[in-house]
Amino acid sequence: MKNKDAFKCNCTTIHQDIIDSVRSNMPSGEDLYAVAELFKVFGDNTRIKIICALFQSEMCVCDIAKLLNMTQSAISHQLRVLKKARLVKNRRDGKVVYYSLDDEHVKYIFDQGLAHVNE
Amino acid sequence: MKNKDAFKCNCTTIHQDIIDSVRSNMPSGEDLYAVAELFKVFGDNTRIKIICALFQSEMCVCDIAKLLNMTQSAISHQLRVLKKARLVKNRRDGKVVYYSLDDEHVKYIFDQGLAHVNE
DNA sequence: ATAACATATGAATACATGTTCATGTGTATA
DNA sequence: TATACACATGAACATGTATTCATATGTTAT
């Protein structure tokens, strides 16, 4: 066996036709991984609050820290994660750095999520 | 001080008006928590694959395990998480349990996520 | 230049979580 | 009733991650 992980499932195969069909129509593994990584960014209470706050207004780091009653450091770390995921962008004005949303999909994704939990 | 966590941020307040305005228009903490929990479910490579597979067809646990080349146990645990989040439902036919999607928002959320990572 | 302030960041810690392993439950069949 | 199969589940383990703490960077004003 070339791949040591090739047979993790020892079930009797029931619907090979479905398995083959589904497999051939799945997005690439890289795409799926990237999507999971994206949703992981949404899946944190602090980050979802930051995102939700930025729907209304651009804010500086200290504003967000005050709003959420958290340390400047914690917020800064999370803004870094959000920026890496290309969900927020920032601009510097003197000592102050302002963050705002950087994606048109974010609001839509958030709203659909909210719709689900409120259904 | 009534709340021991009330002053985690020691920044000089810069934009109190924005903070007040944003705070008064934020969804409730419970809603935000629920949304984060929902996206946390999407934010796992195995679960996103399961969701994506179920877009195409209902599948039994062993089918999914074979498709993803993972143990039946691991898949079963993740299906439990998905069901708790009301993203999938199941039906039993004899010994076999078939899982399928149980939400109209899921596809939209996934597609928007895919659109973001492919942009 | 020095002090003050806003922000960023590396390391450490504490907590959450995904998979495995062993085993239990439910259903069909011999 | 006994066996086999599909699935579920609790505990253990390993890994990932959010926050804190200390400190560094960058900018402004004195």
Side-chain angles (χ1 to χ4, degrees):
Chain A
M1 286 161 207
K2 293 159 192 165
N3 185 345
K4 67 187 162 85
D5 290 332
F7 299 105
K8 282 195 176 180
C9 176
N10 59 352
C11 306
T12 301
T13 301
I14 305 182
H15 309 97
Q16 188 64 47
D17 53 337
I18 290 181
I19 295 172
D20 292 340
S21 165
V22 168
R23 179 178 286 126
S24 67
N25 290 308
M26 292 268 286
S28 73
E30 303 85 62
D31 274 2
L32 289 171
Y33 181 80
V35 171
E37 288 300 304
L38 174 65
F39 286 122
K40 204 172 286 182
V41 176
F42 282 88
D44 174 78
N45 206 28
T46 299
R47 288 192 295 265
I48 208 77
K49 285 179 186 170
I50 295 173
I51 289 170
C52 197
L54 295 182
F55 285 144
Q56 297 185 56
S57 172
E58 75 169 6
M59 297 180 83
C60 69
V61 180
C62 270
D63 288 345
I64 300 172
K66 284 237 175 241
L67 173 70
L68 304 185
N69 193 31
M70 294 177 64
T71 64
Q72 172 270 321
S73 179
I75 299 300
S76 189
H77 277 293
Q78 296 298 6
L79 285 169
R80 190 171 198 256
V81 174
L82 289 166
K83 192 176 181 190
K84 190 181 175 193
R86 307 193 329 277
L87 296 178
V88 304
K89 61 181 187 295
N90 57 13
R91 68 180 179 87
R92 178 177 278 275
D93 181 14
K95 287 179 293 188
V96 182
V97 177
Y98 292 91
Y99 281 81
S100 57
L101 292 177
D102 185 29
D103 188 282
E104 76 253 32
H105 308 294
V106 178
K107 183 91 171 88
Y108 194 81
I109 292 173
F110 177 86
D111 285 343
Q112 290 292 316
L114 193 60
H116 175 81
V117 303
N118 281 335
E119 151 276 13
Chain B
M1 285 160 210
K2 293 161 194 166
N3 184 346
K4 66 188 164 84
D5 291 331
F7 300 104
K8 282 194 173 179
C9 177
N10 60 351
C11 304
T12 302
T13 300
I14 305 182
H15 308 98
Q16 188 63 48
D17 52 338
I18 290 181
I19 295 172
D20 292 339
S21 166
V22 168
R23 178 177 286 128
S24 66
N25 290 309
M26 291 268 284
S28 73
E30 303 86 61
D31 275 1
L32 290 171
Y33 180 82
V35 171
E37 289 299 305
L38 173 66
F39 285 122
K40 204 172 287 183
V41 176
F42 282 87
D44 174 79
N45 206 28
T46 299
R47 288 191 296 265
I48 208 78
K49 284 179 186 170
I50 294 174
I51 289 170
C52 198
L54 295 182
F55 286 145
Q56 297 185 55
S57 172
E58 76 170 4
M59 297 180 83
C60 69
V61 181
C62 271
D63 288 345
I64 300 172
K66 284 236 177 240
L67 173 70
L68 303 185
N69 193 32
M70 292 178 64
T71 65
Q72 172 270 320
S73 179
I75 298 301
S76 189
H77 277 295
Q78 296 298 6
L79 285 169
R80 191 171 199 255
V81 174
L82 289 165
K83 192 176 182 190
K84 191 180 175 193
R86 308 196 325 279
L87 296 178
V88 305
K89 61 180 187 296
N90 56 12
R91 68 179 180 88
R92 177 179 278 274
D93 181 13
K95 287 179 294 189
V96 183
V97 178
Y98 293 91
Y99 281 83
S100 58
L101 292 178
D102 185 28
D103 188 283
E104 77 254 31
H105 308 295
V106 177
K107 185 88 170 95
Y108 295 114
I109 293 173
F110 178 86
D111 285 343
Q112 289 294 311
L114 193 60
H116 175 81
V117 303
N118 280 334
E119 150 276 12

